[in-house]
Amino acid sequence: GESVGLHLPTLSVQEGDNSIINCAYSNSASDYFIWYKQESGKGPQFIIDIRSNMDKRQGQRVTVLLNKTVKHLSLQIAATQPGDSAVYFCAENIIRRRYIFGTGTRLKVLA
Amino acid sequence: ETGVTQSPTHLIKTRGQQVTLRCSSQSGHNTVSWYQQALGQGPQFIFQYYREEENGRGNFPPRFSGLQFPNYSSELNVNALELDDSALYLCASSLGQGRDNEQFFGPGTRLTVL
């Protein structure tokens, strides 16, 4: 069946270091992916997206990498800050109106 | 510009009851999607409304239903509540139904079914 999952449920990173959050997807037909950040008590917030015709996309302090060969997605956060502490989800878009979210990875930034 | 708002914030119901959750979309947004997020899980797509019509549905039974009003606000109705319906219910609005239109999420309604 189709699924989007994450390898690490919790990631602890020292402030100032880079963070890498991983995600595996199983549906080879997926052609659009989004990373979301969810802080406690809030809804998910869009971070960055990538289409399947790309393998890398950069934003402000964030980079998403897509490896279609192994169906793997990663989110890199440079110079991680305390405000980056949250749960991060990847979401996979198969049908235009439907997103499938992964389980999530909790990022803890250590001072 | 007002963001997506949801009401109520928290709700406690008993098994078998019915519940209505409300969502006000961001100004100018004509598309609303509803998600169920169980504790420790990612959001699961319930359905989407575009210009007052259901526009796509996830794997949820018919006792989950919705409405979208002319002002694009929306309701999620759940009948015959079950214990497993306990979750955070999120709505997200967007300018259109296409995936190029970013979804903006509300803070959610926390439903507890006893």
Side-chain angles (χ1 to χ4, degrees):
Chain A
E2 57 197 35
S3 67
V4 176
L6 295 175
H7 298 304
L8 301 173
T10 303
L11 177 66
S12 296
V13 175
Q14 205 69 34
E15 182 179 354
D17 287 352
N18 296 334
S19 302
I20 300 176
I21 301 172
N22 297 303
C23 174
Y25 65 95
S26 59
N27 196 315
S28 56
S30 298
D31 61 357
Y32 181 63
F33 305 87
I34 301 176
W35 279 101
Y36 285 95
K37 173 186 180 183
Q38 187 173 22
E39 297 175 279
S40 181
K42 297 183 179 180
Q45 179 184 6
F46 173 96
I47 301 174
I48 191 167
D49 61 356
I50 189 167
R51 298 185 184 280
S52 61
N53 61 354
M54 304 170 70
D55 53 19
K56 181 179 180 179
R57 190 162 189 224
Q58 287 185 293
Q60 187 177 11
R61 280 201 309 119
V62 295
T63 301
V64 55
L65 299 178
L66 175 62
N67 186 329
K68 294 181 289 294
T69 302
V70 295
K71 289 184 282 188
H72 183 267
L73 196 67
S74 69
L75 176 70
Q76 300 178 2
I77 304 174
T80 311
Q81 303 170 358
D84 295 328
S85 292
V87 177
Y88 289 81
F89 296 97
C90 64
E92 168 185 12
N93 184 264
I94 302 171
I95 303 170
R96 186 178 61 180
R97 306 176 190 89
R98 176 176 174 178
Y99 290 90
I100 296 177
F101 283 73
T103 308
T105 292
R106 180 173 299 282
L107 176 64
K108 292 185 177 180
V109 181
L110 308 173
Chain B
E1 184 180 271
T2 306
V4 179
T5 60
Q6 293 185 243
S7 62
T9 306
H10 296 86
L11 198 54
I12 299 175
K13 291 285 189 178
T14 56
R15 196 169 46 182
Q17 285 188 311
Q18 179 266 344
V19 70
T20 297
L21 310 182
R22 295 177 175 82
C23 171
S24 291
S25 58
Q26 190 161 314
S27 178
H29 287 188
N30 57 20
T31 303
V32 172
S33 300
W34 285 92
Y35 293 83
Q36 179 195 66
Q37 186 175 21
L39 197 62
Q41 301 293 318
Q44 286 198 359
F45 176 75
I46 303 175
F47 42 55
Q48 183 184 83
Y49 279 83
Y50 171 68
R51 294 181 179 271
E52 303 178 58
E53 297 285 332
E54 188 179 293
N55 194 32
R57 191 179 181 93
N59 298 325
F60 281 82
R63 60 189 185 84
F64 284 78
S65 63
L67 282 173
Q68 187 178 32
F69 300 99
N71 66 354
Y72 303 133
S73 65
S74 179
E75 285 183 354
L76 165 65
N77 299 291
V78 187
N79 294 322
L81 283 167
E82 300 177 0
L83 297 180
D84 285 348
D85 295 334
S86 295
L88 180 69
Y89 288 85
L90 296 161
C91 83
S93 75
S94 56
L95 270 172
Q97 57 183 325
R99 64 190 186 189
D100 287 338
N101 297 292
E102 181 180 339
Q103 292 188 101
F104 292 84
F105 283 84
T109 293
R110 172 72 63 187
L111 173 65
T112 302
V113 182
L114 302 175

Coordinates of all heavy atoms in Angstrom, one line a residue, chain A residues 43, chain B residues 3-9 21-24 34-35 88-92 105-109:
Chain A
G43 N -1.2 24.1 14.1 CA -1.4 23.3 13.0 C -0.1 23.2 12.2 O 0.8 24.1 12.4
Chain B
G3 N -6.0 34.6 9.8 CA -5.7 33.3 9.4 C -6.9 32.3 9.5 O -8.0 32.7 9.8
V4 N -6.6 31.0 9.4 CA -7.6 30.0 9.6 C -7.9 29.8 11.1 O -7.0 29.7 11.9 CB -7.1 28.7 9.0 CG1 -8.1 27.6 9.2 CG2 -6.7 28.8 7.5
T5 N -9.2 29.9 11.4 CA -9.6 29.7 12.8 C -10.5 28.5 12.9 O -11.2 28.2 11.9 CB -10.3 30.9 13.3 OG1 -11.5 31.2 12.5 CG2 -9.4 32.2 13.3
Q6 N -10.5 27.8 14.0 CA -11.3 26.7 14.2 C -12.0 26.8 15.6 O -11.4 27.3 16.6 CB -10.5 25.4 14.2 CG -9.9 25.1 12.8 CD -9.2 23.8 12.8 OE1 -8.0 23.7 12.5 NE2 -9.9 22.7 13.0
S7 N -13.2 26.2 15.7 CA -13.9 26.2 17.0 C -14.7 24.9 17.1 O -15.1 24.4 16.1 CB -14.8 27.4 17.1 OG -15.8 27.4 16.1
P8 N -14.8 24.4 18.3 CA -14.2 24.9 19.5 C -12.7 24.5 19.6 O -12.3 23.7 18.7 CB -15.0 24.3 20.7 CG -15.4 23.0 20.1 CD -15.7 23.3 18.6
T9 N -12.0 24.9 20.6 CA -10.6 24.5 20.8 C -10.5 23.1 21.3 O -9.7 22.3 20.8 CB -9.9 25.4 21.8 OG1 -10.1 26.8 21.3 CG2 -8.4 25.1 21.8
L21 N -17.7 20.4 14.1 CA -16.6 21.2 14.2 C -16.6 22.3 13.1 O -17.0 22.0 12.0 CB -15.3 20.4 14.1 CG -15.2 19.1 15.0 CD1 -13.9 18.4 14.8 CD2 -15.4 19.5 16.5
R22 N -16.1 23.5 13.5 CA -16.2 24.6 12.5 C -14.8 25.1 12.1 O -13.9 25.1 12.9 CB -17.1 25.7 13.1 CG -18.5 25.2 13.3 CD -19.4 26.2 13.9 NE -20.8 25.7 13.9 CZ -21.3 24.9 14.8 NH1 -20.6 24.5 15.8 NH2 -22.6 24.5 14.8
C23 N -14.8 25.7 10.9 CA -13.6 26.2 10.4 C -13.9 27.4 9.6 O -14.7 27.4 8.7 CB -12.9 25.2 9.5 SG -11.4 25.7 8.6
S24 N -13.2 28.5 9.9 CA -13.2 29.7 9.0 C -12.0 29.8 8.2 O -10.9 29.9 8.8 CB -13.4 31.0 9.9 OG -14.7 31.0 10.5
W34 N -10.0 19.0 5.4 CA -10.1 18.5 6.8 C -9.2 17.3 7.0 O -9.1 16.4 6.1 CB -11.5 18.1 7.2 CG -12.4 19.3 7.4 CD1 -13.3 19.9 6.5 CD2 -12.6 20.0 8.6 NE1 -13.9 20.9 7.1 CE2 -13.6 21.0 8.4 CE3 -12.1 19.9 9.9 CZ2 -14.0 21.9 9.4 CZ3 -12.5 20.7 10.9 CH2 -13.5 21.7 10.6
Y35 N -8.5 17.3 8.1 CA -7.6 16.2 8.5 C -7.9 15.7 9.9 O -8.2 16.5 10.8 CB -6.1 16.7 8.4 CG -5.6 17.0 7.0 CD1 -5.9 18.2 6.4 CD2 -4.9 16.1 6.3 CE1 -5.4 18.6 5.2 CE2 -4.5 16.4 5.0 CZ -4.7 17.6 4.5 OH -4.2 17.9 3.2
L88 N -6.9 15.2 17.1 CA -6.9 16.6 16.8 C -7.5 16.7 15.3 O -7.0 16.1 14.4 CB -5.5 17.2 16.8 CG -5.3 18.6 16.5 CD1 -5.9 19.5 17.6 CD2 -3.8 19.0 16.3
Y89 N -8.5 17.6 15.1 CA -9.0 17.7 13.8 C -8.6 19.1 13.3 O -8.8 20.1 13.9 CB -10.6 17.6 13.9 CG -11.0 16.2 14.1 CD1 -11.1 15.7 15.4 CD2 -11.3 15.4 13.0 CE1 -11.4 14.4 15.6 CE2 -11.6 14.1 13.2 CZ -11.7 13.6 14.5 OH -12.0 12.2 14.7
L90 N -7.9 19.0 12.1 CA -7.3 20.2 11.5 C -8.1 20.5 10.2 O -8.5 19.7 9.5 CB -5.9 19.9 11.2 CG -4.9 19.6 12.3 CD1 -3.6 18.9 11.8 CD2 -4.5 20.9 13.0
C91 N -8.3 21.8 10.0 CA -8.7 22.2 8.7 C -7.6 23.1 8.1 O -6.8 23.7 8.8 CB -10.1 22.9 8.7 SG -10.0 24.7 9.1
A92 N -7.6 23.1 6.8 CA -6.6 23.9 6.1 C -7.3 24.5 4.9 O -8.1 23.9 4.2 CB -5.5 23.0 5.5
F105 N -3.0 25.9 7.7 CA -3.7 25.1 8.7 C -4.1 26.0 9.8 O -3.4 26.9 10.2 CB -2.8 24.0 9.2 CG -2.6 22.8 8.3 CD1 -1.7 22.8 7.3 CD2 -3.4 21.7 8.5 CE1 -1.6 21.8 6.4 CE2 -3.3 20.6 7.6 CZ -2.4 20.6 6.6
G106 N -5.3 25.6 10.4 CA -5.7 26.2 11.6 C -5.1 25.5 12.8 O -4.4 24.5 12.6
P107 N -5.3 25.9 14.0 CA -4.7 25.3 15.2 C -5.3 24.0 15.6 O -4.8 23.2 16.4 CB -4.9 26.3 16.3 CG -6.1 27.1 15.8 CD -6.1 27.1 14.3
G108 N -6.5 23.7 15.0 CA -7.1 22.4 15.3 C -8.2 22.4 16.4 O -8.2 23.3 17.3
T109 N -9.0 21.4 16.4 CA -10.0 21.2 17.5 C -9.6 19.8 18.1 O -9.5 18.8 17.4 CB -11.4 21.1 17.1 OG1 -11.8 22.4 16.6 CG2 -12.3 20.6 18.2

